[in-house]
Amino acid sequence: ARRRARAMALSRAERCLALLLRLLSRACLALLGLVAPAPSRAVPASPRAVPPPRRLLLLLPARQLAARLRARQVTCIEVVEAYVERIKEVNPLINAVVKDRFEEALQEARQVDKLLSEGPGDDYLEEKFPLLGVPITVKEAFSLHGMPNTSGLVNRRNVIATSDATVVSRLKQAGAIPLGVTNCSELCMWYESSNRVYGRTNNPYDLQRIVGGSSGGEGSALAAACSVIGVGSDIGGSIRMPAFFNGVFGHKPTTGVVPNDGQFPNARGVRTSFLCTGPMCRYAEDLEPMLRVMAGPGVNKLKLNEKVSLEKIKFHCMDHDGGSIFVSPVDKEILQAQKKVVEHLEGELGVQVQRVAIHKMKYSFQIWSAMMSSKDGDGQEAQLFTDLLGDHGKPVWPLWELMKWLVGMSSHTLPAIGKAGGLMKLNPGGNAKLVSMGKSLQEEMEALLGPDGVLLYPSHPTIAPRHHSPICMPFNFAYTAIFNVLGLPVTQCPLGLSSEGLPLGIQLVAASYNDHLTLAVARYLEEAFGGWVLPGKV
């Protein structure tokens, strides 16, 4: 009885806290109308969406593009020039590519054409350079030689990368040609990509909508056909939310498969087990070859060479988290899209999709928050966000920074100030219990999914909201974040557009090291539901 009373008291306290946070969020949203927004190079929302690409070269998956280049059916200069032209056309609308390297990319394209003219065999080229001549973009948080590496922090605006991040180096060695770096949220810890260095990135399907974060510039660039594959990172959904909001594919690999070296901020302590670097692609068929390159020797931990029989997969479906008080209800159109997937799988594959209700998922945000702030096995604590905000500058005092923000004098965004002030830590006293719950949930998930299971789960509770709206629903990222602390591989798969013309999607989750299952299902669903849809198409 006492235990029940304590639980009820905690539940009431959490409800009161959630209500208070929502009221504060709405007050902050109202203030945003009074305080000058982050500077943006993006133009007002007219037209509503970016125009669709006109060049057929822009509509080819990376694998097909590389094959055409190897077959000498098109020159690399033609390909790179087409993408450069596209970026120049639409980037003023979306502000996704924040620094380009067009001259260097064109020079590298000439080198590719020279290599191809020398006549090496196709098999040799495909094995040694699987992405030869394919244009890519890279999240600005990753080091790309000669490019800025600020992660949206004003104090780092003069930081220029002098080397390449490990995954960037591997992609270059595979023949890919970086076109530039893309926008992210300040210090990669918010799900709207806006900062005081580069401004705000807009959604290609509706310029008044968010692109997600923190890899939002990547999602926007891919959806707008400014690149075909890109590099993202994910500690709470930073690959999958932008992929969802922008209608493209994003894969968070199993923990520890792809190296995180060469990005800022990098994880330390227990967070090294939660941060994942992974591929973002316009087409599902490009996820696996890109993952192979990015993982390097780590790919041997996976089973990508195993043939997947979709009919033998044990599918599970969960419509929502069980009703967390901190998170918005799942949008009806998202639920309808997920229902169509279930009906299609049962009707076409003849499988039985098992509906599940995992009680602990209701506490996804609390579990993620507790595990993110816990100590690792050596007793090392996670780095304080205030320390990161002070990188290359003076220490940051959140309350003072908030006062400066209210009069338009802060160099930080409101979400970053809120996080520095402890917004994400709701119940520090109960962290040990929540960490224990997280470990128990991990065991439950691994047992449920086993060697042949895939879980269907919403990518986010709402379709891409309007700019600044995440302030009113700050914990909605819990739908993706929970899988970071569980260490499971997840693929975000687009499922067409909503009645408002905005992307829909679904998360595909498997047990650790079963990335091949989610990738195979993503390829199947792309064929069934159409995958990426051209923005601006009437």
Side-chain angles (χ1 to χ4, degrees):
R2 287 180 180 176
R3 191 175 298 172
R4 270 199 307 272
R6 281 198 300 270
M8 289 176 63
L10 178 61
S11 179
R12 282 195 295 269
E14 284 186 334
R15 284 191 174 88
C16 290
L17 184 54
L19 178 60
L20 177 61
L21 285 170
R22 284 171 183 163
L23 290 173
L24 286 172
S25 296
R26 284 178 171 81
C28 289
L29 189 61
L31 281 170
L32 281 167
L34 303 175
V35 180
S40 177
R41 296 181 299 202
V43 300
S46 180
R48 177 178 180 264
V50 300
R54 295 182 295 273
R55 300 282 297 274
L56 291 178
L57 278 177
L58 300 175
L59 302 178
L60 293 175
R63 289 182 67 179
Q64 294 182 29
L65 202 53
R68 289 201 182 191
L69 284 163
R70 290 194 302 270
R72 284 76 169 176
Q73 295 174 356
V74 64
T75 66
C76 194
I77 277 288
E78 289 178 282
V79 173
V80 171
E81 283 181 341
Y83 272 97
V84 168
E85 179 185 316
R86 177 62 175 174
I87 292 172
K88 288 180 177 179
E89 177 190 12
V90 302
N91 203 55
L93 293 169
I94 58 175
N95 189 35
V97 179
V98 291
K99 182 67 176 178
D100 68 70
R101 56 184 305 276
F102 294 156
E103 290 303 316
E104 295 91 336
L106 289 167
Q107 181 58 37
E108 289 160 13
R110 294 184 189 98
Q111 292 171 359
V112 169
D113 286 335
K114 184 175 183 296
L115 173 65
L116 291 168
S117 70
E118 293 169 356
D122 284 6
D123 292 342
Y124 166 81
L125 288 173
E126 185 173 7
E127 182 179 349
K128 188 169 179 61
F129 306 110
L131 298 174
L132 185 64
V134 175
I136 66 169
T137 43
V138 177
K139 182 180 182 177
E140 199 260 17
F142 287 87
S143 294
L144 172 57
H145 186 270
M147 293 285 100
N149 183 217
T150 70
S151 285
L153 190 65
V154 170
N155 288 341
R156 289 176 59 89
R157 61 186 175 276
N158 296 321
V159 174
I160 303 297
T162 57
S163 61
D164 291 326
T166 302
V167 292
V168 174
S169 177
R170 288 176 178 173
L171 289 164
K172 280 183 170 182
Q173 289 169 18
I177 299 177
L179 299 174
V181 291
T182 55
N183 206 13
C184 58
S185 55
E186 186 174 5
L187 289 173
C188 302
M189 287 299 286
W190 185 239
Y191 73 96
E192 176 160 19
S193 291
S194 178
N195 57 68
R196 296 289 185 180
V197 180
Y198 303 116
R200 187 184 76 200
T201 300
N202 299 322
N203 193 304
Y205 296 89
D206 183 345
L207 303 178
Q208 292 302 301
R209 304 280 179 156
I210 73 168
V211 295
S214 60
S215 311
E218 272 307 303
S220 180
L222 289 164
C226 293
S227 65
V228 64
I229 55 177
V231 178
S233 57
D234 189 315
I235 199 170
S238 292
I239 286 174
R240 291 159 289 150
M241 283 187 290
F244 169 68
F245 290 140
N246 295 281
V248 297
F249 294 86
H251 182 68
K252 183 201 86 65
T254 298
T255 294
V257 170
V258 178
N260 294 318
D261 306 318
Q263 61 182 295
F264 180 86
N266 206 338
R268 79 178 195 191
V270 71
R271 294 181 186 179
T272 57
S273 299
F274 308 149
L275 177 64
C276 292
T277 296
M280 299 177 68
C281 306
R282 220 184 311 147
Y283 302 99
E285 70 180 78
D286 294 330
L287 288 170
E288 183 184 314
M290 196 177 175
L291 177 59
R292 287 180 182 272
V293 171
M294 295 172 77
V299 77
N300 295 323
K301 299 177 182 178
L302 304 179
K303 309 161 191 173
L304 299 183
N305 293 327
E306 284 189 12
K307 186 176 180 180
V308 177
S309 175
L310 296 172
E311 292 84 359
K312 293 181 180 179
I313 291 178
K314 294 178 181 175
F315 287 97
H316 308 274
C317 177
M318 192 167 169
D319 289 341
H320 53 77
D321 63 3
S324 170
I325 58 173
F326 294 108
V327 178
S328 301
V330 178
D331 188 281
K332 288 182 180 179
E333 288 194 77
I334 295 174
L335 292 173
Q336 289 169 0
Q338 188 158 315
K339 182 181 178 183
K340 288 179 182 177
V341 170
V342 171
E343 291 173 347
H344 184 88
L345 293 173
E346 292 183 334
E348 297 299 320
L349 296 181
V351 299
Q352 182 72 38
V353 180
Q354 183 70 40
R355 291 202 168 273
V356 294
I358 304 169
H359 175 70
K360 296 183 186 71
M361 292 292 280
K362 183 177 180 179
Y363 304 98
S364 292
F365 169 69
Q366 295 96 314
I367 291 171
W368 177 87
S369 179
M371 295 185 76
M372 280 283 287
S373 57
S374 62
K375 296 180 181 179
D376 66 8
D378 297 326
Q380 183 182 17
E381 293 187 350
Q383 189 171 12
L384 293 175
F385 193 73
T386 47
D387 293 341
L388 290 171
L389 280 181
D391 186 84
H392 278 66
K394 298 178 181 178
V396 172
W397 300 92
L399 186 57
W400 174 239
E401 208 59 43
L402 178 60
M403 299 301 291
K404 288 164 62 179
W405 181 87
L406 288 169
V407 293
M409 294 179 64
S410 176
S411 60
H412 300 290
T413 57
L414 183 60
I417 296 170
K419 180 165 176 55
L423 181 62
M424 297 299 180
K425 295 181 181 180
L426 298 186
N427 184 25
N431 273 6
K433 290 182 180 179
L434 288 166
V435 169
S436 177
M437 185 186 292
K439 292 177 180 177
S440 173
L441 176 59
Q442 184 179 34
E443 293 172 0
E444 185 178 350
M445 279 286 191
E446 291 281 3
L448 173 72
L449 295 169
D452 54 3
V454 170
L455 172 68
L456 311 176
Y457 193 68
S459 297
H460 199 76
T462 68
I463 297 165
R466 295 188 177 276
H467 291 301
H468 307 304
S469 295
I471 287 287
C472 289
M473 37 185 135
F475 311 123
N476 279 359
F477 70 94
Y479 268 77
T480 48
I482 188 61
F483 298 111
N484 290 85
V485 294
L486 299 181
L488 304 177
V490 189
T491 305
Q492 159 14 70
C493 179
L495 295 174
L497 303 181
S498 71
S499 58
E500 294 182 279
L502 298 168
L504 299 167
I506 194 170
Q507 287 188 99
L508 310 169
V509 188
S512 297
Y513 305 110
N514 283 347
D515 301 52
H516 63 300
L517 298 180
T518 68
L519 296 175
V521 176
R523 290 191 294 269
Y524 176 76
L525 292 181
E526 178 182 41
E527 187 176 341
F529 291 89
W532 170 73
V533 179
L534 274 71
K537 189 176 180 180
V538 180

